[in-house]
Amino acid sequence: MTHEIAVIPGDGIGQEVTPAAVEVLEAIDGVDFDFVEGEAGDAVKEETGDALPEETRELAADADATLFGAAGETAADVILPLRQVVGSFANVRPARSYPGLDAVQPDTDIVFIRENTEGVYKGIESEISEGVTTCTRVITEDASEKIAEYGFSYAKQNSYDDVTIAHKANVMRTTDGLFLDAASAVGEDRDASYDTALMDALAMHLVMNPQDYGVVICPNLAGDMLSDLAAGLVGGLGLLPSANIGEENALFEPVHGSAPDIAGEGIANPSAMILSAAMLLDHLGYDEQGDVVRTAVESVLDSGPRTPDLGGDASTEDVTAAVIDEL
Amino acid sequence: MTHEIAVIPGDGIGQEVTPAAVEVLEAIDGVDFDFVEGEAGDAVKEETGDALPEETRELAADADATLFGAAGETAADVILPLRQVVGSFANVRPARSYPGLDAVQPDTDIVFIRENTEGVYKGIESEISEGVTTCTRVITEDASEKIAEYGFSYAKQNSYDDVTIAHKANVMRTTDGLFLDAASAVGEDRDASYDTALMDALAMHLVMNPQDYGVVICPNLAGDMLSDLAAGLVGGLGLLPSANIGEENALFEPVHGSAPDIAGEGIANPSAMILSAAMLLDHLGYDEQGDVVRTAVESVLDSGPRTPDLGGDASTEDVTAAVIDEL
Ligand SMILES: CC(C)[C@H](C(=O)O)[C@@H](O)C(=O)O
Ligand SMILES: CC(C)[C@H](C(=O)O)[C@@H](O)C(=O)O
């Protein structure tokens, strides 16, 4: 079966790491992908006035899955609507430290399951009177249940023993109270073991004892911050893939941005993007192939060529070729 | 001049560390304090149905400054109204690592200046229909300006070169946009140098490179999380003091909670509470005495008796006596 994959490189190093991931997918046995490319980001906004042209939206909507690189200044104008286009309700962000690489906490293996449709991301803001503004944060039982179902299933399928539900229900008693209750009810229904944690205390514990955590189910904005915090623990954004999972559709992107400081030099680390492609493989049912890609990336990280962000002097192409060699 | 100090030990180890801080203040030369004690927390709620009795509110309102220990389950019901009673607009949270103590990042010296009147802490929540809830986050120009004024002044007075304004204005464009604009305008007006940072990216950078940060000016909830994150970097909550600064009044409390697991054993680390008392001294104009207390605590942390949380077997009293010895 041929799958149509929308490929949206975007800006900066997105233009370099996205083709690298496509190359890897093309080198994989047992899959048949049809890649169609679309534009998004600062450059296309400059040209057309629109950071996410209608054609690109349609491409992502119609494809079986989308690979997205990065966008610059227009990041929010690209990724937030793209997540809507693919109906993303779960943003999945694994943060793992790899042996042999410098990390603040070398024993980290946590997957953040971030609610991805509501909270402050609903975009309901007003200027009530001059100098007085509001943002209406929305939390629903349905979305809270759905992300918890996803999180508990993910933990089971991927053999994580620790599930933590993050919240700030001591202050946001109604909204995060609902999130906490709905997510906890899912855990109870499944007879699953889980903990709940105030997200401020959780931020501290994640820094000190990341090895105590496995899957962390979070409201949207809390997941945004906590997953970046964990990126810091494992050595930065260069290694972190992510998935935005919808009912019928999904989008895969590295957690890093367009890195204008090194764009165009051919030295961007393609690992996060290639690991995102591995998540795409899993999502389309090619778990075995996903594992093959992850193992190849790990082996190259361990003893292959390294880009400058990891202290080496290899190019994006060197690393990509080495990963393909290991497949 | 005699200052009236309200003393609210609260629950758990609050009952142990608060008297320790009072002992230290009593041992200081050149100050004249009148201590009046009030009740708050789980225990008084159990008795009276109210976690923060009217007498205690009045005590804090009338005093020149308040020392608060910790509360258990009722923490939010105690500290949020107490902050209102003292008119706290700035929550000041220094996170420093101390030589000789284990820390994830031993080179950390950051002060979070957290807006303390608005954001999601306004408590405006509703159940719009069954299973659909909202929280209205409020950001005003006045409060944003005020916290920035406080933060920039604090940085100057305390010789911090780096000022960072934290925000999430790419998503909360109206509310955090206002916060960012108002706070940046204060920096411009003062010709101060400062950076701005998206709070998710900031969470990552704080973990990886805390030495690059000095004063961080934050919206209320972001400050709650980021300061706890930093507590993780320096070795946990046991060493972190904080101040809640109002126009005419102020409250000082350790960042840690009531620690029910070790309460009653006489082994709680009093450092955070004593350092909070040092902030009280500064606030009342006794900067020199504040420094004396801080130096004493540092010297005891370096080479004096240590409580079990720091790997020692000293009691709260041992540490307190050692600090008083060093004054
Ligand atoms: C660019 C921004 C809107 C986005 C978010 O807040 O979700 C980013 O931080 C992310 O985490 O993908
Ligand atoms: C107890 C809670 C309401 C409080 C807060 O969120 O401000 C606490 O986390 C703190 O930081 O002092």
Side-chain angles (χ1 to χ4, degrees):
Chain A
M1 179 183 165
T2 306
H3 294 283
E4 189 173 300
I5 310 294
V7 177
I8 308 173
D11 298 314
I13 63 167
Q15 290 287 343
E16 299 161 48
V17 297
T18 314
V22 171
E23 263 181 72
V24 171
L25 289 177
E26 282 174 331
I28 286 282
D29 287 331
V31 299
D32 180 12
F33 292 144
D34 192 8
F35 296 100
V36 279
E37 201 164 312
E39 291 186 306
D42 297 0
V44 64
K45 179 167 184 185
E46 183 86 354
E47 257 173 61
T48 67
D50 192 354
L52 188 65
E54 190 51 38
E55 305 92 82
T56 309
R57 280 174 207 254
E58 280 168 20
L59 210 68
D62 297 342
D64 295 305
T66 295
L67 270 183
F68 169 61
E73 292 296 315
T74 54
D77 298 317
V78 173
I79 190 60
L80 298 182
L82 270 181
R83 286 179 185 152
Q84 283 188 326
V85 164
V86 303
S88 174
F89 63 88
N91 185 196
V92 181
R93 300 190 159 191
R96 284 183 57 187
S97 37
Y98 292 92
L101 291 184
D102 259 2
V104 174
Q105 289 286 21
D107 196 13
T108 303
D109 181 359
I110 307 176
V111 183
F112 293 87
I113 306 288
R114 168 188 177 193
E115 201 290 320
N116 213 10
T117 66
E118 53 185 36
V120 302
Y121 285 79
K122 276 280 182 197
I124 310 173
E125 292 194 297
S126 319
E127 181 168 13
I128 300 293
S129 72
E130 214 192 301
V132 178
T133 60
T134 59
C135 172
T136 303
R137 179 176 188 265
V138 178
I139 299 287
T140 65
E141 188 172 8
D142 286 351
S144 304
E145 253 172 41
K146 193 161 174 176
I147 194 68
E149 296 282 5
Y150 191 88
F152 279 105
S153 297
Y154 186 98
K156 198 164 175 191
Q157 272 156 34
N158 295 277
S159 309
Y160 283 95
D161 291 332
D162 298 299
V163 176
T164 307
I165 299 167
H167 67 94
K168 185 78 188 175
N170 60 342
V171 170
M172 295 182 280
R173 294 177 184 200
T174 304
T175 49
D176 268 18
L178 177 58
F179 183 85
L180 176 61
D181 288 348
S184 301
V186 171
E188 301 301 332
D189 279 354
R190 296 183 171 217
D191 240 328
S193 91
Y194 67 93
D195 270 318
T196 67
L198 284 165
M199 64 193 197
D200 47 337
L202 181 59
M204 182 185 78
H205 291 300
L206 285 172
V207 170
M208 297 181 75
N209 302 305
Q211 68 285 352
D212 293 349
Y213 296 89
V215 165
V216 181
I217 300 171
C218 331
N220 208 342
L221 186 62
D224 182 52
M225 283 190 71
L226 293 172
S227 61
D228 266 34
L229 176 168
L233 296 175
V234 303
L237 298 175
L239 300 173
L240 272 75
S242 77
N244 297 274
I245 305 290
E247 222 55 83
E248 328 239 287
N249 206 325
L251 179 147
F252 302 85
E253 49 162 346
V255 177
H256 64 67
S258 63
D261 50 325
I262 58 158
E265 296 181 31
I267 55 164
N269 185 346
S271 304
M273 188 79 220
I274 297 173
L275 291 168
S276 301
M279 294 181 86
L280 177 149
L281 288 167
D282 296 343
H283 182 72
L284 293 176
Y286 303 114
D287 297 62
E288 233 169 85
Q289 285 88 340
D291 282 339
V292 166
V293 172
R294 266 184 297 274
T295 307
V297 171
E298 275 165 42
S299 145
V300 172
L301 284 174
D302 185 52
S303 52
R306 290 185 181 177
T307 42
D309 57 308
L310 299 180
D313 58 8
S315 67
T316 308
E317 281 187 13
D318 296 337
V319 174
T320 309
V323 169
I324 291 172
D325 257 4
E326 292 282 336
L327 290 176
Chain B
M1 179 183 166
T2 306
H3 294 284
E4 190 173 299
I5 311 293
V7 177
I8 309 172
D11 298 315
I13 64 167
Q15 291 287 342
E16 299 161 48
V17 297
T18 314
V22 170
E23 265 182 69
V24 171
L25 289 176
E26 282 174 333
I28 286 281
D29 286 331
V31 299
D32 182 10
F33 291 144
D34 193 7
F35 297 100
V36 279
E37 202 165 311
E39 291 186 305
D42 297 0
V44 65
K45 178 167 186 186
E46 183 87 354
E47 257 173 60
T48 67
D50 191 355
L52 187 65
E54 190 51 36
E55 306 91 83
T56 309
R57 280 173 207 255
E58 279 168 21
L59 210 69
D62 296 344
D64 295 307
T66 296
L67 270 183
F68 169 62
E73 293 297 315
T74 54
D77 298 316
V78 173
I79 191 60
L80 298 182
L82 269 181
R83 287 180 185 151
Q84 283 188 326
V85 164
V86 303
S88 174
F89 63 88
N91 185 197
V92 180
R93 301 192 156 188
R96 283 184 57 189
S97 38
Y98 292 93
L101 291 184
D102 259 1
V104 174
Q105 290 286 20
D107 196 11
T108 304
D109 180 359
I110 306 176
V111 183
F112 293 88
I113 306 287
R114 168 187 176 193
E115 202 290 321
N116 213 8
T117 67
E118 53 184 36
V120 302
Y121 286 78
K122 276 281 181 195
I124 311 174
E125 291 195 295
S126 319
E127 182 168 10
I128 299 294
S129 72
E130 214 193 300
V132 179
T133 61
T134 59
C135 172
T136 303
R137 179 175 188 266
V138 179
I139 298 287
T140 65
E141 188 171 8
D142 286 351
S144 304
E145 251 171 42
K146 194 160 173 176
I147 195 68
E149 296 281 4
Y150 190 89
F152 279 105
S153 297
Y154 186 99
K156 197 164 175 191
Q157 272 156 35
N158 295 278
S159 308
Y160 283 96
D161 292 332
D162 298 299
V163 176
T164 306
I165 299 167
H167 67 94
K168 184 78 187 175
N170 59 342
V171 170
M172 294 181 280
R173 295 178 185 201
T174 304
T175 50
D176 268 17
L178 177 59
F179 183 85
L180 175 61
D181 289 347
S184 300
V186 171
E188 301 299 333
D189 279 354
R190 297 184 170 215
D191 240 330
S193 90
Y194 67 93
D195 272 317
T196 66
L198 285 165
M199 63 195 200
D200 47 337
L202 181 59
M204 181 185 78
H205 290 300
L206 285 171
V207 169
M208 297 183 75
N209 302 304
Q211 68 285 351
D212 293 349
Y213 296 89
V215 165
V216 181
I217 300 171
C218 330
N220 208 342
L221 185 62
D224 182 52
M225 284 191 70
L226 293 172
S227 62
D228 266 34
L229 177 167
L233 296 175
V234 303
L237 298 174
L239 300 172
L240 272 76
S242 77
N244 298 274
I245 305 291
E247 223 55 81
E248 329 237 286
N249 207 326
L251 178 146
F252 302 85
E253 50 162 344
V255 177
H256 65 65
S258 64
D261 50 322
I262 59 158
E265 296 182 32
I267 55 162
N269 185 348
S271 304
M273 189 79 219
I274 297 173
L275 291 168
S276 302
M279 293 181 87
L280 177 150
L281 288 167
D282 296 342
H283 182 71
L284 294 176
Y286 304 114
D287 297 63
E288 232 169 86
Q289 286 88 341
D291 282 340
V292 166
V293 172
R294 266 183 297 273
T295 308
V297 170
E298 274 165 44
S299 144
V300 172
L301 284 174
D302 186 52
S303 51
R306 291 184 182 178
T307 43
D309 57 307
L310 300 179
D313 59 6
S315 67
T316 308
E317 280 187 13
D318 296 337
V319 175
T320 310
V323 170
I324 291 172
D325 258 4
E326 293 280 338
L327 291 176

